[in-house]
């Protein structure tokens, strides 16, 4: 029996917002899309990517990720390296380079690993024309074997789609969508340079429902300029009425010294930390009342969504795209700055577009950074990911899988959890550690207790838990 399975009634939400405890334990922490985290990257050795691809286990299915870095509009809250172009053209020869990279990597793989997941992110993948998106999909169908019940998703920008785009995506084989709304208040949209009226959001949702996309995610952000407690509550009320299958509700981190676009946001227009915390609490309560299941780290889903079901059945995972229902896959990333995770190896492509394109044109594999996890990393990754996905650390399962005495091995970490236990965030027992409803919003703070890489040199590189 899966010790992390915890079948619950469909009205399960299981999260309690305690403002005082959140203020006490709110701290900078990694998002743990991997362990070790990307902060541990080192320059890759010559020939290492070739060897990693050649030695990939062909029995492990594949998850494919494609990074499309282009946008036509600069959103001022953005903290990503996106390429803004207002030309009415395609993304130049970027698709050609993607296809060359796919051929390079695919030629090195042994066997015939089945693709179970695919995601196009960015940037704005719908920056590609409908014809280019179809060309990419058709090429991938020729190169790989796709599982008929796989999860094939794409991020879209409702402002940057042709009338035929959603239908072209669905006809190709995409079955899941994600798109950003961030906020529906006009004053907020103007302040962050993302004008996206409510009627546009509703129109996209209605068309996606008509085309029978299996799961639709909407992103919101709290803490944006000119947001108020009441305006954020009104946005959440309208989004609940629009009824996405999944929701991601992110904290806006204002770091203009690191992200140039954020310099266009005035500090005095931002809500106070106290108001931000109230916005988050109100949002969690409103979504729980609307029967959304709290997944963890900003994410919510309808109880009948595949992500919520996977969590209740102990099958949820995290990777560089966030929470995933099929975590046994090797991840192959394509495009500038994309990340791959193959067995014990994590690799990142060059982050400069021109350098990436030059490497591909010269027949070079594009990874320039690398992490190889050690057995002790595998143990701690297992613990961190199960805490964040299933709110539990099961001693018996860990002992059996890793051949250790977990209570003895982690005696220092368990001692550090006693204060959280006294505050009702976690429950410590002879069988394991359980994150309680009060602790779920602070899951990253619990997980980081088991992260042995955390040092002062990384302290200013994380975002706050809340």
């Amino acid at each position: 029996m899966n010790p992390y399975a915890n079948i619950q009634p469909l009205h399960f939400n299981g999260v309690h917002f305690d403002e005082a405890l959140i203020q006490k334990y709110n701290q900078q922490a990694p998002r743990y899309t991997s362990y070790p985290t990307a902060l541990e990257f080192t320059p890759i050795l010559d020939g290492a990517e070739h060897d990693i691809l050649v030695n990939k286990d062909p029995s492990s299915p594949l998850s494919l990720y494609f990074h499309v870095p282009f946008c036509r509009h600069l959103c001022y809250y953005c903290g990503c390296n996106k390429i803004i172009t207002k030309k009415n053209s395609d993304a130049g020869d970027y698709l050609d380079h993607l296809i060359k990279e796919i051929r390079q990597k695919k030629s090195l793989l042994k066997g015939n690993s089945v693709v179970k997941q695919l995601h196009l992110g960015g940037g704005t993948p719908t920056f590609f024309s409908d014809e280019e998106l179809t060309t990419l999909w058709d090429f991938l169908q020729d190169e790989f074997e796709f599982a008929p019940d796989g999860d094939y998703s794409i991020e879209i920008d409702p402002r940057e789609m042709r009338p035929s785009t959603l239908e072209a995506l669905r006809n190709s084989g995409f079955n899941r969508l994600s798109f950003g709304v961030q906020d529906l208040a006009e004053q907020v949209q103007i302040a962050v340079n993302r004008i996206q009226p409510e009627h546009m959001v509703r129109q996209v949702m209605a068309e996606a429902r008509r085309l029978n996309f299996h799961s639709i995610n909407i992103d919101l952000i709290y803490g944006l300029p000119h947001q108020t407690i009441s305006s954020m509550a009104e946005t959440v009320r309208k989004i609940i009425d629009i009824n996405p299958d999944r929701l991601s509700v992110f904290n806006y981190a204002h770091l203009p010294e690191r992200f140039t676009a954020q310099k266009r946001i005035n500090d005095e227009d931002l809500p106070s930390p106290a108001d931000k915390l109230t916005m988050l609490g109100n949002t969690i309560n409103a979504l729980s009342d609307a029967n959304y299941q709290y997944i963890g780290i900003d994410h919510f889903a309808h109880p009948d969504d595949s992500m919520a079901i996977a969590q209740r059945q102990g099958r949820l995972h995290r990777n560089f795209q966030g929470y995933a229902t099929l975590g046994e896959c090797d991840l192959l990333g394509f495009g500038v700055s994309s990340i791959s995770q193959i067995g014990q190896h994590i690799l990142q492509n060059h982050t400069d577009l021109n350098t990436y394109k030059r490497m591909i044109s010269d027949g070079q594999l594009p990874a320039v950074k690398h992490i190889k996890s050690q057995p002790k990393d595998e143990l701690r990754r297992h613990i961190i990911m199960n805490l964040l996905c299933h709110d539990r650390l099961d001693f018996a399962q860990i002992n059996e899988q890793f051949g250790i005495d977990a209570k003895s091995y982690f005696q220092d970490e368990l001692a550090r959890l006693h204060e959280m236990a006294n505050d009702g965030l976690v429950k410590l027992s002879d069988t394991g550690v359980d994150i309680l409803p009060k602790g779920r919003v602070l899951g990253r703070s619990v997980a980081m207790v088991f992260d042995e890489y955390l040092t002062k040199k990384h302290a200013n590189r994380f975002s706050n838990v809340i």
Side-chain angles (χ1 to χ4, degrees), residues 69-75 82-92 123-124 126-129 132 157 159-162 193:
F70 305 98
C71 293
R72 294 200 194 283
H73 305 277
L74 177 66
C75 298
K82 298 177 181 178
I83 298 168
I84 309 300
T85 175
K86 297 185 180 296
K87 295 179 181 178
N88 294 321
S89 62
D90 303 329
T124 305
T126 48
F127 191 95
F128 280 150
S129 67
E132 286 175 314
D157 184 339
R159 303 168 301 165
E160 299 299 336
M161 292 196 308
R162 286 70 57 188
N193 198 38

Side-chain angles (χ1 to χ4, degrees), residues 104-302:
Q104 285 176 321
K105 291 181 175 178
K106 179 62 166 56
S107 69
L108 299 175
L109 300 178
K110 296 176 181 177
N112 191 28
S113 300
V114 174
V115 175
K116 288 191 174 182
Q117 290 179 315
L118 177 147
H119 184 69
L120 266 71
T124 305
T126 48
F127 191 95
F128 280 150
S129 67
D130 296 351
E131 293 75 16
E132 286 175 314
L133 289 167
T134 301
T135 295
L136 175 60
W137 181 271
D138 290 345
F139 174 76
L140 292 170
Q141 295 297 308
D142 291 337
E143 291 290 317
F144 296 95
E145 178 184 348
F146 281 71
D149 57 348
D151 184 354
Y152 309 126
S153 59
I154 184 170
E155 297 170 19
I156 63 170
D157 184 339
R159 303 168 301 165
E160 299 299 336
M161 292 196 308
R162 286 70 57 188
S164 58
T165 298
L166 287 184
E167 189 161 6
L169 292 172
R170 192 68 184 96
N171 289 341
S172 290
F174 288 92
N175 53 26
R176 188 164 68 82
L177 297 177
S178 180
F179 63 99
V181 172
Q182 320 316 348
D183 193 286
L184 288 173
E186 183 178 12
Q187 185 180 18
V188 177
Q189 292 184 352
I190 292 172
V192 299
N193 198 38
R194 189 182 180 101
I195 310 300
Q196 188 171 300
E198 179 185 344
H199 69 82
M200 180 185 292
V201 176
R202 290 185 180 274
Q203 183 179 3
V204 169
M205 181 64 72
E207 178 68 1
R209 294 294 189 207
R210 183 186 72 81
L211 294 169
N212 197 31
F213 280 90
H214 296 174
S215 184
I216 304 167
N217 177 80
I218 282 180
D219 292 341
L220 299 178
I221 298 178
Y222 66 95
L224 293 174
H226 298 298
Q227 270 182 341
T228 64
I229 292 171
S230 60
S231 74
M232 183 65 184
E234 179 64 10
T235 286
V236 172
R237 184 193 67 77
K238 291 177 178 178
I239 293 299
I240 289 172
D241 184 62
I242 291 171
N243 197 31
D245 302 284
R246 303 176 185 176
L247 270 164
S248 304
V249 185
F250 298 108
N251 167 34
Y252 171 64
H254 189 56
L255 299 169
E257 67 280 4
R258 286 178 57 190
F259 305 118
T260 303
Q262 294 184 1
K263 293 179 180 178
R264 307 192 188 196
I265 292 177
N266 297 320
D267 291 11
E268 59 269 24
D269 294 335
L270 296 170
S272 68
D275 283 354
K276 283 181 65 176
L277 199 56
T278 301
M279 290 178 196
L280 175 61
N282 290 347
T283 299
I284 289 174
N285 292 334
L287 293 175
S288 296
D289 289 344
N291 204 32
Y292 279 90
Q293 179 172 317
Y294 180 73
I295 302 298
I297 309 186
D298 317 318
H299 285 64
F300 303 78
H302 274 311

Side-chain angles (χ1 to χ4, degrees), residues 175-448:
N175 53 26
R176 188 164 68 82
L177 297 177
S178 180
F179 63 99
V181 172
Q182 320 316 348
D183 193 286
L184 288 173
E186 183 178 12
Q187 185 180 18
V188 177
Q189 292 184 352
I190 292 172
V192 299
N193 198 38
R194 189 182 180 101
I195 310 300
Q196 188 171 300
E198 179 185 344
H199 69 82
M200 180 185 292
V201 176
R202 290 185 180 274
Q203 183 179 3
V204 169
M205 181 64 72
E207 178 68 1
R209 294 294 189 207
R210 183 186 72 81
L211 294 169
N212 197 31
F213 280 90
H214 296 174
S215 184
I216 304 167
N217 177 80
I218 282 180
D219 292 341
L220 299 178
I221 298 178
Y222 66 95
L224 293 174
H226 298 298
Q227 270 182 341
T228 64
I229 292 171
S230 60
S231 74
M232 183 65 184
E234 179 64 10
T235 286
V236 172
R237 184 193 67 77
K238 291 177 178 178
I239 293 299
I240 289 172
D241 184 62
I242 291 171
N243 197 31
D245 302 284
R246 303 176 185 176
L247 270 164
S248 304
V249 185
F250 298 108
N251 167 34
Y252 171 64
H254 189 56
L255 299 169
E257 67 280 4
R258 286 178 57 190
F259 305 118
T260 303
Q262 294 184 1
K263 293 179 180 178
R264 307 192 188 196
I265 292 177
N266 297 320
D267 291 11
E268 59 269 24
D269 294 335
L270 296 170
S272 68
D275 283 354
K276 283 181 65 176
L277 199 56
T278 301
M279 290 178 196
L280 175 61
N282 290 347
T283 299
I284 289 174
N285 292 334
L287 293 175
S288 296
D289 289 344
N291 204 32
Y292 279 90
Q293 179 172 317
Y294 180 73
I295 302 298
I297 309 186
D298 317 318
H299 285 64
F300 303 78
H302 274 311
D304 59 354
D305 184 84
S306 60
M307 181 175 288
I309 294 170
Q311 184 178 54
R312 297 197 302 273
Q313 293 180 347
R315 298 184 292 103
L316 195 64
H317 300 266
R318 280 184 68 73
N319 60 25
F320 284 98
Q321 280 76 62
Y323 286 104
T325 59
L326 299 168
E328 76 278 11
C329 299
D330 281 327
L331 173 65
L332 278 183
F334 301 93
V336 60
S337 79
S338 67
I339 293 177
S340 300
Q341 189 163 8
I342 304 169
Q344 298 174 295
H345 302 275
I346 304 172
L347 310 94
Q348 185 177 26
N349 284 359
H350 206 292
T351 58
D352 176 74
L353 178 62
N354 289 330
T355 304
Y356 160 79
K357 289 167 68 174
R358 184 171 63 251
M359 293 176 74
I360 296 298
S361 296
D362 291 344
Q364 294 178 259
L365 290 167
V368 292
K369 297 179 182 179
H370 177 228
I371 301 169
K372 182 180 180 181
S373 62
Q374 304 302 316
K376 64 177 183 177
D377 298 326
E378 302 298 318
L379 166 62
R380 291 179 180 270
R381 176 168 62 188
H382 179 85
I383 288 171
I384 288 170
M385 296 308 173
N386 275 295
L387 286 171
L388 294 176
C389 293
H390 305 120
D391 305 308
R392 178 158 175 74
L393 187 165
D394 185 273
F395 290 153
Q397 188 273 332
I398 292 167
N399 294 346
E400 179 180 355
Q401 181 170 339
F402 294 96
I404 64 169
D405 180 343
K407 290 180 66 176
S408 175
Y409 190 96
F410 292 110
Q411 58 181 338
D412 292 342
E413 287 84 354
L414 295 173
R416 290 166 59 193
L417 289 176
H418 276 296
E419 186 174 2
M420 289 186 178
N422 292 336
D423 283 334
L425 301 184
V426 301
K427 176 184 176 183
L428 305 179
S429 69
D430 289 338
T431 61
V433 178
D434 291 277
I435 299 181
L436 301 175
K438 285 184 180 179
R440 295 195 70 206
V441 179
L442 292 161
R444 289 161 63 198
S445 295
V446 179
M448 68 189 293

